[in-house]
Amino acid sequence: MTVKEFLAQMTDEEVAHLLGGQPNTGVANTFGWGNMPEYGIPNCMTADGPAGLRIAPECGVTTTAWPCATLLAATWNPNVVYQVGAAGGKEVKENNIAAWLTPALNIHRSPLCGRNFEYYSEDPLLSGTMAAAMTKGVQSRPGCGVTVKHFACNNQETNRNYHDSIVSERALREIYLKGFEICVKTAKPKNIMTSYNKINGVWSHYNYELCTTVLRQEWGYTGNVMTDWWMRYAPSPEFDGVRDNAYRVRAQVDVLMPGGRNSMRKEADSDGSLLETLGQPEGITLGELQRTANNVLRFILDTNKF
């Protein structure tokens, strides 16, 4: 059975279920996706990074604390970074984690950015090369996937749920997106996480031009895309869960994290169907839901957790 045929047997609500994050299992504390035992779909877990695999401390399992990304970039040695990724990937596999939330490769635009320790450099070539090496190292372990983040233009930690990165297309392509492009094209990461901020007035987590036109159509990316955590509850007067879910699905941002079972259905009016309610008056089609769920299922199949 093809993935398309597999999805065709599901109801609208069941397809939508695949597009929301799912509860923690095992040692995880950053949620996952899947979780449909009635269809044989496992609950695939995530674990935070990027300076080491972070799991629930009450589990009593220790993992390695690796040097931060900036220090790794200072080696100018992709082979070293690959080895760190491969060793980290081994711990991902040992702890039954499907996706490690690393590498992060936003540009060091300002020394005041509170996430600079997670990012490699102010140079997009160095950032992309190191992120690609990390990605290849982690994904050299069967069933392990990285999550490249924060896509894109996260330049500050303070107020990052509100700020709008105003940037020209040339600067975007030559500086802020170039590292991501290098990593996507050379290492084929299995997951990408969007950022909290807007880019030129449009939220990254439903930016069609960013996540479909550039990422999927121009760069050829075929993997899974997720939001950063708790976007559903972003403290913005402009944020509307129903509208934003429709925009997100249309842009092929596949999973709302951390979500919850049937998280999209909860946004719908109890008297209307999912497709009639989500995103009105913008609307959304079953085909768009299935296309996005297809991206999720391809990653779950690749985890080898069946």
Side-chain angles (χ1 to χ4, degrees):
M1 181 183 289
T2 65
V3 174
K4 182 178 179 180
E5 292 168 338
F6 184 77
L7 284 170
Q9 65 184 323
M10 294 185 179
T11 66
D12 300 344
E13 288 76 12
E14 287 172 335
V15 175
H17 169 84
L18 290 169
L19 312 186
Q22 300 302 318
N24 290 311
T25 60
V27 300
N29 63 356
T30 52
F31 306 91
W33 56 90
N35 189 30
M36 295 183 73
E38 62 271 31
Y39 284 99
I41 300 173
N43 203 2
C44 298
M45 290 290 101
T46 69
D48 217 344
L53 187 71
R54 195 184 79 195
I55 58 180
E58 59 269 22
C59 294
V61 178
T62 56
T63 57
T64 306
W66 300 102
C68 73
T70 311
L71 182 56
L72 291 176
T75 67
W76 292 80
N77 191 333
N79 292 329
V80 168
V81 179
Y82 177 93
Q83 292 177 50
V84 170
K90 183 178 181 182
E91 293 184 344
V92 172
K93 188 78 171 177
E94 287 173 347
N95 288 284
N96 200 32
I97 299 296
W100 191 10
L101 304 181
T102 188
L105 67 150
N106 291 87
I107 293 297
H108 287 179
R109 181 178 182 273
S110 164
L112 300 179
C113 177
R115 287 292 178 106
N116 276 355
F117 69 96
E118 290 193 353
Y119 303 147
Y120 292 101
S121 173
E122 75 281 6
D123 180 81
L125 176 60
L126 180 60
S127 297
T129 301
M130 292 301 180
M134 177 67 76
T135 297
K136 290 178 180 178
V138 175
Q139 294 185 170
S140 67
R141 304 292 184 181
C144 296
V146 300
T147 307
V148 173
K149 60 185 185 180
H150 304 93
F151 191 61
C153 296
N154 179 54
N155 298 318
Q156 63 188 60
E157 183 69 9
T158 302
N159 200 38
R160 66 181 182 141
N161 285 79
Y162 285 102
H163 84 270
D164 188 357
S165 297
I166 306 298
V167 57
S168 71
E169 183 174 356
R170 179 176 180 179
L172 266 174
R173 290 184 178 275
E174 293 184 0
I175 301 174
Y176 298 102
L177 297 183
K178 180 56 69 174
F180 289 98
E181 180 182 6
I182 292 169
C183 183
V184 166
K185 288 184 175 180
T186 62
K188 296 179 171 53
K190 295 177 182 178
N191 302 283
I192 289 178
M193 182 195 300
T194 58
S195 55
Y196 285 123
N197 54 277
K198 295 179 181 178
I199 301 175
N200 295 331
V202 181
W203 296 104
S204 297
H205 72 281
Y206 61 65
N207 193 313
Y208 184 92
E209 291 184 353
L210 179 71
C211 298
T212 290
T213 303
V214 173
L215 177 62
R216 296 189 185 275
Q217 295 177 356
E218 294 187 17
W219 298 352
Y221 181 71
T222 59
N224 178 55
V225 180
M226 67 186 75
T227 69
D228 205 338
W229 268 228
W230 309 110
M231 279 306 308
R232 168 63 185 85
Y233 307 103
S236 169
E238 304 170 54
F239 197 94
D240 177 86
V242 172
R243 182 200 67 190
D244 284 35
N245 257 323
Y247 288 168
R248 172 181 66 85
V249 170
R250 179 152 294 149
Q252 292 189 83
V253 176
D254 307 306
V255 181
L256 176 70
M257 294 299 291
R261 186 171 178 87
N262 292 324
S263 60
M264 290 184 64
R265 187 65 187 89
K266 291 176 183 177
E267 301 297 345
D269 188 291
S270 59
D271 297 325
S273 74
L274 179 73
L275 301 184
E276 291 172 346
T277 309
L278 271 179
Q280 288 293 338
E282 294 81 6
I284 190 172
T285 69
L286 177 59
E288 287 170 326
L289 282 175
Q290 290 174 330
R291 178 184 63 176
T292 307
N294 185 71
N295 297 331
V296 177
L297 285 178
R298 280 202 308 269
F299 172 75
I300 294 175
L301 283 169
D302 194 49
T303 62
N304 301 317
K305 294 189 183 302
F306 293 88

